[in-house]
């Protein structure tokens, strides 16, 4: 198309005309003007077309699936800091050693061996390449990068600069294009890659001469024929001659022999590969050199095979035969008949075709790309051609790998942004589309008296307030005036059943799961509809119900709750602080400054009386009493809603769980430490916007948000998805305590929602359960209030929440939660594979909290039957260990135990006597959830675990809280080695003398707020406090390092001393305490003579105890 071509040049000057364009398949014998039309197309007419598009194979056609092996290599042209040590005049052809690899990579290398290939240029400039000779499927470039990095580190070669990276992906073997065919081929497009070595250039350049000579001769002959007899040139006849010239019978036999060799090499492990090449290079150079250069003819190839087999030892002969026999029939047929039908399938297809990555340990888990969810579900290599795309990089940066980059390296919890700040960040969000509650509901004023006062205005609080008011009682509502901030996902049938489908922002036709890298790229369908809740619509719906029912509201925080004597008809009195909208914190973090808070903002007090008080304060436990027992598990998630044009997630499908891990698995070791599993959760918004979240389902020690953020970005990078900061619409930090001890029931104060334990202990779902249970709970409380007053209302309400059936259900779910906490990633995958394979009514009922206690036993039996032996062993082991089975038994036998007089749990006598009692929010009956998880995080770090990791003794983390200040080791005397500083079972020495941080003064650091970035000032404050108050100590502290936490009231506390330096006190002080006796004097003299450094709970306590401290 376009302008007419220029006039032809003189005949003596050959010409080549060029165009840059994307080429489509050629249309043969098409009349001019009948080809593809449109502005984007241009037509070029030619007598002959030659495909030299390499491995992209743009024009040639194949009769059968193209199923090659692949040679994969990652190389760097680099400058080293010191001379690399390789001889300048010698290239390194193959180095198969793997002793430098860590244990995990060495295990992978056993079945998918790689070698080093290098070409030096100067003393410091060199090309290094880590190469997989041939394998199917191809190895991942990231795996090769890690291997090369470990190899260079072992060789003590430090890379100063990488000038160029090389990504080499070469199809080797497979069928040739069909011929004859109209389009001719050369190079990679015509299968001229050596199937056993990957060499191609020399073969191609030699073949070019044959191809051109044949083509020119045939074309000239055709022109002469047309000139003599008329007609047109027969292009098919020309291409036929060309194909037969470049692939004569002997060349086909040679290629068949090499394909046979490639298949055999792919079957050998590292030992067999080494022995093969050791024997191969002992043959005459003309033989092995002829094979590598594609020059040895069929008789020579037969001789080569015979010589190799003769020189092999018995081990190698056996392995060679075992590797070669599955392909022998196809080899003989094609070698003898000079055919182009060599079959890469074992036993001609009867033995299966090795293609899926799960068939061999060909990748390091957690490295390399993660297939995008819209990718094909591979059944054959013909579905894709990875060599069509330009490969210029891979997710893992090589220099970062050499240096240990942030995205790939977890950091200690103490160096991360505190999770408390993340939680406050989440709760302080403002959404302009959610109206302030004070603009919707009638005001609740100080001095008012209501029948029911609900504390908390989340989904559960608004729902229960509306339901109670609809039953004819007066209801007041007190809570910070904040929006709904969390993203909620629900199963469609649950919201449809409640008539709330209008509150969904997005609906999804299906939910997808992935368990590991062997699953189809498109995921596994669960066949269930899913929905994303619209926070604004749900809030407006619940507020409208509250308004219609007459609920009154005051923005504020409750400070004290005094229950009156119910036998005398006295109400409960609630006092607190009022505030303008958005000036206060959230329910979970009440004392955190709100988004609109300002210094000196006025806070008026209020007083309200009520017959019944219901706390719906989320995970805040300040106003309620809970039973004694183990801490909860922790579900944490970090997510972002982001503009990502053309993202690969199908907009009508939610990614429910993708357990393909972001990181490599932890190395096996004696301590049994493993990485806590996390999964990807995705809710697409539209074709260009998506919500992605990295979620830890449940962990004994909370996985920090910064660690989940690192995992999410590493996962997205491995999926080839980039996130720009300016494209992030919203960040989310979701924090959900799971399980733990239930509230004391009955107690005078009622609870609802998460505060009442309505969070599903094994999944984290709560909103559906809270909304669905609200009518039944409200009916019980209101009927009890009308029948017998506040005490009866509390008793009936608690029976709905924690009756015998509910205890059995929650006990079962908590048993499941504790099981999940103990699982490593392979065990977790095993469990969920079984879980989603059981009947839908069981799996769906479990997730939706619908199964009765009897059906839950049926669920357990089905899991045991469908699971494999590993899962059965896990279930049985969990049932008889760790206390989980005992707690499950207590839950199911609860009424029988009570009838037998066995006290299970606790009872608040004030709920039955009607007595008063004062509850103060700032002095809660038990430690807050924040203190619980913070202590566990620091305890785990002290025991040597990184955040996001868990150990064999996972249930014991935090139990060292009870081992307070220790005097000495069992053997007595000073612990000059520092007290066993960090094994999984080591003691942690606490400076505090009580688990209750609210009653310990010696460790409290008051005054100016000191941030995490100012530990020196905090340490100085503690040193000064101890030295001034501890006058009976024989020494003074000169230096101290400690861990600090911030409590719910904004005060900082010394959690534990990591190390300190001491000096003897001045003589004057020693005289003052000289009367304490000989034992003390000896200790004083001992302390005076020492200037020891005590690390991780050393001998300081012994010295202090000996001196009477």
């Amino acid at each position: 198309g376009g302008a007419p071509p220029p006039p032809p040049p003189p005949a003596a000057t050959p010409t080549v005309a060029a165009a840059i364009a994307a080429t489509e398949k050629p249309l043969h014998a098409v009349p001019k003007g009948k080809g593809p039309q449109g502005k984007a197309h241009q037509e070029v007419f030619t007598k002959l077309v030659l495909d030299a598009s390499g491995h992209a194979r743009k024009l040639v056609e194949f009769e059968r699936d193209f199923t090659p092996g692949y040679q994969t290599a990652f190389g760097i042209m680099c400058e080293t800091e010191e001379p690399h040590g390789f001889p300048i005049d010698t290239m390194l052809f193959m180095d198969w050693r793997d002793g430098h690899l860590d244990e995990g990579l060495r295990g992978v290398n056993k079945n998918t061996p790689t070698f080093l290939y290098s070409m030096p240029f100067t003393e410091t400039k060199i090309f290094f390449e880590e190469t997989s000779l041939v394998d199917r499927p191809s190895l991942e470039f990231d795996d090769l990068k890690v291997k090369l990095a470990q190899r260079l580190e072992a060789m003590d070669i430090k890379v100063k600069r990488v000038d160029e990276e090389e990504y080499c992906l070469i199809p080797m073997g497979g069928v040739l294009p069909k011929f004859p065919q109209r389009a001719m081929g050369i190079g990679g497009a015509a299968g001229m890659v050596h199937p056993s070595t990957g060499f191609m250039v020399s073969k191609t350049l030699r073949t070019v001469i044959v191809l051109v000579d044949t083509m020119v001769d045939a074309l000239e002959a055709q022109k002469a024929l047309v000139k003599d007899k008329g007609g047109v040139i027969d292009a098919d006849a020309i291409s036929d001659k060309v194909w037969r010239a470049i692939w004569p019978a002997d060349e086909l036999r040679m290629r068949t022999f090499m394909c046979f060799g490639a298949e055999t090499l792919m079957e050998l492990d590292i030992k067999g590969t080494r022995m093969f090449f050791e024997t191969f290079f002992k043959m005459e150079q003309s033989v092995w050199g002829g094979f590598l250069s594609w020059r040895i003819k069929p008789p020579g190839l037969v001789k080569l095979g015979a010589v190799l087999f003769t020189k092999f030892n018995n081990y190698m002969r056996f392995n060679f035969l075992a590797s070669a026999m599955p392909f022998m029939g196809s080899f003989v047929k094609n070698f003898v008949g000079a055919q182009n039908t060599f079959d890469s399938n074992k036993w001609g297809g009867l033995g299966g075709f090795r293609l899926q990555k799960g068939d061999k340990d060909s990748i390091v888990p957690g490295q390399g790309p993660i297939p995008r969810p819209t990718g094909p579900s591979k059944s054959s290599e013909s579905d894709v051609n990875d060599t069509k795309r330009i490969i210029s990089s891979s997710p893992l940066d090589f220099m970062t790998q050499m240096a240990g980059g942030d995205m790939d390296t977890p950091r200690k919890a103490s160096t991360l942004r505190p999770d408390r700040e993340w939680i406050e960040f989440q709760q302080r969000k403002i959404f302009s589309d959610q109206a302030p509650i004070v603009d919707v509901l009638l005001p609740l004023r100080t001095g008012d008296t209501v029948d029911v006062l609900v504390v908390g205005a989340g989904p559960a609080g608004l729902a229960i307030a509306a339901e109670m008011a609809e039953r004819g009682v007066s209801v007041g509502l007190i809570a910070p005036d904040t929006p709904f901030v969390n993203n909620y996902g629900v199963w469609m049938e649950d919201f449809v059943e409640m008539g709330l489908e209008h509150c969904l922002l997005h609906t999804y036709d299906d939910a997808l799961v992935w368990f590991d890298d062997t699953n189809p790229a498109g995921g596994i369908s669960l066949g269930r509809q899913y929905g994303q809740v619209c926070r604004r619509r749900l809030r407006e719906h619940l507020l409208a119900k509250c308004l219609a029912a007459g609920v009154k509201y005051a923005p504020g925080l409750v400070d004290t709750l005094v229950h009156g004597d119910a036998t005398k008809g006295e109400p409960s009195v609630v006092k607190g602080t009022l505030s303008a909208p958005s000036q206060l914190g959230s329910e979970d973090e009440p004392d955190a400054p709100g988004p609109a808070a300002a210094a000196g903002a006025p806070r008026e007090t209020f007083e309200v009386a009520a017959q019944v008080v219901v706390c719906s304060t989320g995970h805040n436990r300040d106003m309620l009493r809970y039973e004694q027992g183990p801490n909860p598990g922790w579900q944490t998630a970090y997510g972002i809603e982001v503009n990502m044009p053309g993202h690969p997630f199908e907009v009508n499908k939610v990614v429910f769980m993708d357990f393909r891990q972001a990181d490599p698995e932890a190395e096996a070791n004696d301590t049994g430490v493993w990485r806590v599993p996390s999964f990807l959760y995705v809710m697409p918004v539209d074709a260009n916007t998506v919500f992605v979240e990295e979620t830890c389902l449940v962990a004994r020690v909370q996985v920090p948000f910064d660690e989940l953020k690192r995992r999410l970005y590493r996962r997205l990078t491995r999926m080839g998805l980039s996130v720009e900061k300016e494209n992030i619409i919203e960040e989310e930090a979701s924090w959900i305590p799971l399980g733990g001890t239930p509230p004391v029931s009955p107690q005078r104060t009622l609870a609802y929602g998460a505060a009442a334990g309505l969070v599903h202990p094994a999944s984290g779902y709560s909103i559906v359960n809270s909304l669905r249970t609200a009518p039944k709970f409200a009916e019980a409380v209101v009927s009890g209030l009308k029948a017998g007053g506040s005490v009866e209302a509390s008793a009936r309400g608690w029976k709905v929440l924690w009756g015998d059936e509910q205890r059995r259900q929650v006990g079962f779910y908590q048993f499941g939660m504790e099981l999940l906490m103990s699982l490593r990633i392979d065990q977790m995958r095993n469990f969920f594979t079984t879980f989603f394979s059981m009947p839908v009514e069981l799996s769906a009922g479990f997730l939706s909290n619908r199964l009765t206690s009897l059906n839950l036993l049926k669920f357990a039996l089905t899991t045991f039957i469908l699971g494999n032996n590993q899962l059965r062993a896990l279930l049985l082991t969990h049932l008889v260990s760790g206390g989980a089975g005992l707690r499950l038994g207590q839950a199911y036998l609860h009424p029988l135990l009570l009838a037998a007089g066995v006290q299970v749990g606790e009872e608040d006598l004030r709920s039955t006597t009607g007595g008063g009692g004062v509850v103060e929010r700032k002095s809660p009956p038990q430690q807050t959830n924040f203190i619980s998880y913070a202590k566990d995080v620091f305890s785990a770090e002290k025991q040597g675990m990184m955040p996001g990791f868990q150990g064999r003794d996972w249930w014991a983390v935090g139990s060292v809280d009870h081992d307070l200040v220790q005097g000495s080791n069992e053997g007595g005397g000073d612990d000059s080695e520092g007290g066993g500083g960090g094994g999984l079972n080591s003691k942690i020495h606490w400076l505090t003398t009580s688990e209750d941080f609210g009653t310990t003064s010696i460790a409290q650091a008051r005054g100016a707020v000191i941030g995490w970035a100012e530990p020196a000032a905090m340490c100085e404050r503690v040193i000064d406090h101890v030295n001034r108050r501890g006058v009976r100590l024989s020494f003074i502290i000169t230096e101290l390092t400690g861990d600090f936490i911030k409590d719910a009231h904004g005060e900082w506390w010394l959690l534990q001393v990591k190390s300190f330096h001491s000096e003897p006190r001045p003589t004057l002080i020693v005289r003052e305490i000289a009367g304490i006796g000989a034992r003390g004097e000896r200790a004083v003299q001992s302390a005076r003579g020492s200037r020891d450094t005590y690390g991780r709970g050393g001998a300081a306590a012994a010295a202090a105890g000996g001196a009477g401290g």
Side-chain angles (χ1 to χ4, degrees):
T13 305
T15 62
V16 175
I20 298 175
T23 308
E24 296 182 352
K25 289 289 185 183
L27 300 176
H28 302 296
V30 176
K32 200 167 188 177
K34 299 298 183 181
Q37 301 299 312
K39 294 181 179 179
H41 291 89
Q42 291 188 353
E43 295 178 347
V44 176
F45 293 87
T46 175
K47 295 181 177 66
L48 301 172
V49 60
L50 176 65
D51 187 351
S53 61
H55 310 310
R57 310 184 300 278
K58 297 284 288 186
L59 307 181
V60 296
E61 297 177 352
F62 291 78
E63 289 179 326
R64 295 188 293 119
D65 289 345
F66 183 59
T67 56
Y70 286 92
Q71 181 172 118
T72 318
F74 169 76
I76 55 170
M77 180 72 77
C78 66
E79 189 81 20
T80 59
E81 293 182 3
E82 303 289 340
H84 49 67
F86 287 83
I88 302 300
D89 59 349
T90 305
M91 74 148 311
L92 176 62
F93 190 60
M94 285 179 172
D95 182 349
W96 291 98
R97 292 174 294 181
D98 65 353
H100 57 281
L101 296 176
D102 61 38
E103 185 176 349
L105 277 173
R106 201 175 307 130
V108 172
N109 198 65
K110 178 181 178 181
N111 291 323
T112 54
T114 60
F115 62 90
L116 178 67
Y117 173 89
S118 68
M119 294 185 290
F121 293 87
T122 68
E123 287 187 347
T124 57
K125 184 176 183 180
I126 188 169
F127 176 78
F128 289 117
E129 189 171 70
E130 191 77 21
T131 303
S132 164
L133 181 60
V134 59
D135 212 330
R136 183 188 298 116
S138 60
L139 266 66
E140 307 292 357
F141 290 113
D142 282 354
D143 292 348
L144 297 173
K145 285 183 179 180
V146 175
K147 284 186 171 183
L148 180 58
Q150 292 189 11
R151 188 187 293 273
L152 296 183
E153 181 180 8
M155 296 168 70
D156 199 27
I157 295 177
K158 294 180 172 60
V159 176
K160 179 180 180 181
R161 183 183 69 253
V162 174
D163 296 323
E164 180 184 351
E165 290 186 340
E166 176 161 295
Y167 297 85
C168 183
L169 183 63
I170 303 175
M172 294 168 56
V175 297
L176 290 170
K178 68 177 182 180
F179 50 82
Q181 61 174 298
R182 181 70 171 271
M184 298 176 294
I186 190 69
M192 294 182 180
V193 177
H194 195 305
S196 295
T197 67
F199 287 126
M200 181 186 74
V201 173
S202 296
K203 164 71 173 174
T204 298
L205 295 180
R206 287 199 304 268
T207 305
V208 163
I209 300 172
V210 175
L211 183 146
V212 172
D213 286 346
T214 304
M215 183 177 63
V216 170
D217 290 345
L219 183 58
E220 292 301 324
Q222 282 288 322
K223 287 180 179 179
L225 186 63
V226 169
K227 184 177 180 180
D228 292 341
K229 298 184 178 181
V232 295
I233 289 177
D234 187 351
D236 288 327
I238 297 175
S239 62
D240 183 28
K241 289 185 178 181
V242 169
W243 277 112
R244 296 187 185 281
I246 64 175
W247 283 114
D250 275 359
E251 293 285 332
L252 289 175
R253 290 189 177 97
M254 292 162 64
R255 190 176 186 279
T256 293
F257 189 96
M258 295 164 183
C259 287
F260 176 68
E263 296 297 335
T264 304
L265 285 172
M266 280 190 275
E267 295 296 317
L268 297 178
D269 61 8
I270 181 63
K271 181 178 180 180
T273 301
R274 288 169 175 160
M275 296 180 73
F276 174 87
F277 281 109
E278 183 180 5
T279 307
F280 180 81
F281 286 114
K282 286 180 178 178
M283 294 191 295
E284 295 180 5
Q285 182 175 331
S286 59
V287 176
W288 65 255
F291 180 85
L292 295 179
S293 301
W294 207 319
R295 291 176 178 271
I296 191 168
K297 298 300 180 182
L301 290 172
V302 173
K303 178 181 177 181
L304 180 147
V307 171
L308 269 178
F309 194 80
T310 302
K311 291 182 175 291
F312 284 154
N313 58 26
N314 289 334
Y315 171 87
M316 192 58 201
R317 288 184 189 127
F318 173 81
N319 280 275
F320 185 81
L321 285 174
S323 301
M325 287 305 295
F327 310 100
M328 188 64 73
S330 182
F331 162 69
V332 172
K333 173 188 172 184
N334 281 267
F335 189 81
V336 173
Q339 298 178 18
N340 178 29
T341 59
F342 180 78
D343 196 342
S344 298
N345 295 280
K346 294 181 180 180
W347 309 108
L350 296 178
F353 179 62
R354 189 187 70 209
L355 179 65
Q356 298 299 330
K357 292 184 185 300
D359 295 338
K360 283 185 74 176
D361 296 329
S362 57
I363 59 171
V364 181
Q367 298 283 19
I370 297 176
R372 297 187 178 195
T374 52
S377 177
K378 288 188 180 180
S379 60
S380 70
E381 190 66 20
S382 62
D383 293 330
V384 293
N385 178 8
D386 290 337
T387 55
K388 279 187 177 180
R389 60 186 177 91
I390 297 173
I391 305 172
S392 58
S393 65
S394 72
L396 183 65
D397 179 70
F398 179 76
M399 289 302 288
T400 301
Q401 174 66 24
M402 292 292 289
D406 289 340
M407 187 181 292
D408 301 303
T409 308
R411 293 185 294 152
K412 288 186 177 181
S414 54
T415 67
L416 301 176
R417 178 181 179 182
D419 280 351
R420 171 68 176 268
E421 293 183 13
W422 275 111
I423 296 167
E424 292 175 355
F425 156 79
Q426 177 70 12
Q427 300 298 339
R428 289 199 301 263
K429 290 179 180 178
I430 294 178
F431 295 100
S432 58
D433 63 339
Q434 297 187 38
I437 304 177
V438 292
D439 293 346
V440 179
L441 300 183
L442 296 174
L444 178 69
R445 305 187 187 280
T446 185
D448 283 354
T449 298
V450 294
D451 294 320
V452 178
L453 181 67
V454 177
V455 182
L462 292 182
I464 201 62
E467 291 290 343
M468 288 190 174
E470 287 174 353
R471 284 160 174 77
V473 297
S474 59
V475 177
L477 182 68
I478 292 178
D481 199 344
T482 56
F484 288 1
V485 297
N486 294 325
N487 273 298
Y488 300 106
V490 296
W491 298 106
M492 275 285 291
E493 63 261 31
D494 293 331
F495 257 47
V496 170
E497 177 189 273
M498 294 186 292
L500 293 176
E501 58 266 37
H502 65 283
C503 294
L504 295 176
L505 182 62
H506 303 289
T507 59
Y508 304 97
D509 298 331
D510 198 1
L512 304 175
V513 293
W514 285 262
F515 304 123
D516 56 41
D517 293 325
T518 65
N519 293 149
I524 299 172
S525 168
L526 297 183
R528 296 188 66 193
Q529 292 182 308
Y530 200 78
Q532 180 184 8
V533 176
C534 176
R535 295 170 286 199
R536 175 184 59 80
R537 293 178 196 167
L538 180 62
R539 189 169 180 268
E540 288 177 352
H541 170 82
L542 295 174
L543 283 174
K545 290 187 64 177
C546 288
L547 178 63
V551 175
K552 296 181 179 181
Y553 169 73
L557 288 173
V558 173
D559 291 327
T560 61
L561 166 60
V562 180
H563 290 300
D565 190 339
T567 62
K568 299 177 181 180
E570 295 177 356
S572 300
V573 178
V574 173
K575 297 180 181 180
T577 307
L578 288 172
S579 174
S582 301
Q583 283 191 333
L584 295 178
S586 66
E587 295 165 8
D588 285 342
E589 296 294 326
D591 289 302
R603 291 193 176 189
E604 300 178 5
T605 60
F606 68 85
E607 181 176 315
V608 176
Q611 294 297 314
V612 175
V613 178
V614 181
C615 282
S616 183
T617 51
H619 307 306
N620 184 288
R621 296 155 37 112
D622 294 349
M623 305 297 293
L624 295 159
R625 292 184 61 231
Y626 290 80
E627 295 180 5
Q628 297 295 315
N631 286 339
W634 307 99
Q635 181 177 117
T636 45
Y638 171 82
I640 54 174
E641 184 177 340
V642 59
N643 286 324
M644 189 181 291
H647 65 75
F649 303 101
E650 296 180 78
V651 295
N652 66 329
K653 296 179 181 179
V654 68
V655 176
F656 187 62
M657 285 179 168
D658 183 350
F659 270 111
R660 296 173 295 183
Q661 292 300 281
D663 291 280
E665 297 306 317
E667 296 296 328
N669 52 53
D670 294 337
T671 62
V673 174
W674 72 90
R675 192 186 304 274
V676 176
S678 59
F679 61 88
L680 179 67
Y681 173 79
V682 181
M683 291 189 291
V685 177
D686 53 42
N688 297 313
T689 311
V690 65
F691 175 78
V692 292
E693 187 174 72
E694 190 77 19
T695 302
C696 168
L697 182 59
V698 62
R700 175 65 184 86
V701 179
Q702 177 169 314
V703 179
F705 293 109
D706 272 357
E707 165 63 9
L708 292 171
K709 181 177 181 178
R710 183 196 68 80
R711 293 189 189 186
L712 176 64
Y713 277 83
R714 193 177 195 278
R715 181 192 294 274
L716 293 177
T717 299
R718 291 186 57 216
M719 296 178 74
L721 303 176
S722 61
V723 174
E724 303 296 336
K725 186 176 182 180
E726 58 269 20
N727 290 334
I728 295 177
I729 300 170
E730 180 186 351
E731 280 185 294
E732 172 158 304
S734 175
W735 178 68
I736 306 176
L738 300 183
T741 56
V744 172
S745 64
Q747 60 179 296
R748 181 74 175 274
T749 308
L750 278 166
Y752 196 68
L758 294 188
V759 177
H760 194 307
S763 69
Y765 283 118
S766 66
I767 188 169
V768 168
N769 197 22
S770 294
L771 297 177
R772 188 167 54 206
T773 309
K776 183 178 180 181
F777 178 75
E779 183 63 34
V781 173
V782 172
S783 64
L785 185 61
K786 293 177 179 179
S790 58
V791 172
E792 180 65 18
S794 295
R796 293 189 184 186
W798 282 114
K799 188 173 182 179
V800 169
L801 298 176
W802 284 96
D804 293 337
E805 173 65 7
Q806 287 71 27
R807 281 184 179 271
R808 287 191 288 267
Q809 291 173 316
V810 174
F812 189 95
Y813 291 135
Q814 185 144 330
F815 176 84
M817 176 206 73
E818 293 179 353
L819 172 67
L820 292 172
M821 276 199 298
S822 70
L823 299 184
R824 307 183 184 207
I825 180 59
D826 58 333
Q827 297 166 338
M828 184 82 75
R829 290 165 171 163
N830 186 7
F831 173 82
F832 278 109
T833 300
T834 304
F835 179 89
F836 286 114
S837 66
M838 65 175 54
V840 175
E841 61 269 18
L842 290 179
S843 60
F846 185 92
L847 293 176
S848 297
N849 223 343
R850 294 174 178 271
L851 298 182
T852 65
S853 58
L854 187 61
N855 284 334
L856 286 171
L857 293 179
K858 178 181 177 182
F859 170 91
L861 182 61
T862 304
T863 304
F864 191 84
I865 293 172
L866 294 180
N868 57 22
N869 288 335
Q870 182 198 50
L871 182 57
R872 294 186 187 112
L874 285 170
L875 290 171
L876 291 175
T877 302
H878 187 60
L879 188 64
V880 299
S881 63
L886 176 62
R887 287 187 286 273
L888 177 62
Q890 288 177 340
Y892 267 75
L893 299 176
H894 185 260
L896 296 179
L897 293 174
L898 289 180
V902 178
Q903 178 63 37
V904 180
E906 303 173 40
E907 182 178 2
D908 189 344
L909 296 179
R910 289 170 295 185
S911 65
T912 55
T913 64
V918 179
V919 179
E920 295 190 14
R921 179 175 56 82
K922 293 191 176 183
S923 298
Q926 59 279 312
Q927 67 181 16
T928 65
N929 277 325
F930 169 74
I931 295 295
S932 297
Y933 87 71
K935 289 169 66 176
D936 285 350
V937 167
F938 278 102
S939 177
E941 184 170 314
K942 269 297 185 187
Q943 295 181 57
M945 277 185 279
M946 295 291 288
F949 284 83
Q950 200 157 269
R952 180 172 51 210
D953 302 329
W954 58 272
W955 59 83
V957 173
S959 62
V960 289
D961 297 356
H962 305 290
D963 300 320
L964 303 178
V965 177
Q966 304 294 316
S968 65
N969 290 342
E970 292 180 4
D974 289 352
D975 181 8
S976 58
E977 296 300 322
L984 284 175
N985 299 310
S986 63
K987 300 286 187 183
I988 304 299
H989 299 263
W990 305 86
L991 185 60
T992 57
T993 57
S994 168
E995 285 188 85
D996 186 351
F997 282 74
T999 61
T1000 306
S1001 61
I1002 190 171
Q1004 190 168 11
R1006 297 185 181 276
V1009 176
I1010 300 177
W1012 287 80
E1014 303 177 82
M1018 182 71 79
C1019 290
E1020 289 297 327
R1021 195 177 300 275
V1022 175
I1023 290 172
D1024 179 68
H1025 186 93
V1026 173
N1027 288 341
R1028 283 189 294 106
R1029 299 290 183 90
V1031 294
R1032 293 176 64 83
L1033 297 179
S1034 61
F1035 56 87
I1036 59 173
I1037 307 298
T1038 58
E1039 296 179 23
L1040 179 144
T1041 302
D1043 291 327
F1044 300 88
I1045 60 174
K1046 183 180 179 184
D1047 67 16
H1049 314 303
E1051 294 180 307
W1052 286 89
W1053 299 78
L1054 174 64
L1055 181 64
Q1056 57 185 329
V1057 174
K1058 299 174 75 172
S1059 65
F1060 64 86
H1061 296 259
S1062 70
E1063 291 183 358
R1065 279 191 179 273
T1067 305
L1068 175 63
I1069 302 299
V1070 174
R1071 290 198 191 105
E1072 289 181 0
I1073 63 172
I1076 63 176
R1079 173 178 173 272
E1081 188 64 30
R1082 285 196 301 273
V1084 170
Q1085 296 297 330
S1086 173
R1088 177 183 294 165
S1090 69
R1091 292 176 179 266
D1092 291 337
T1093 298
Y1094 303 96
R1096 293 187 179 266

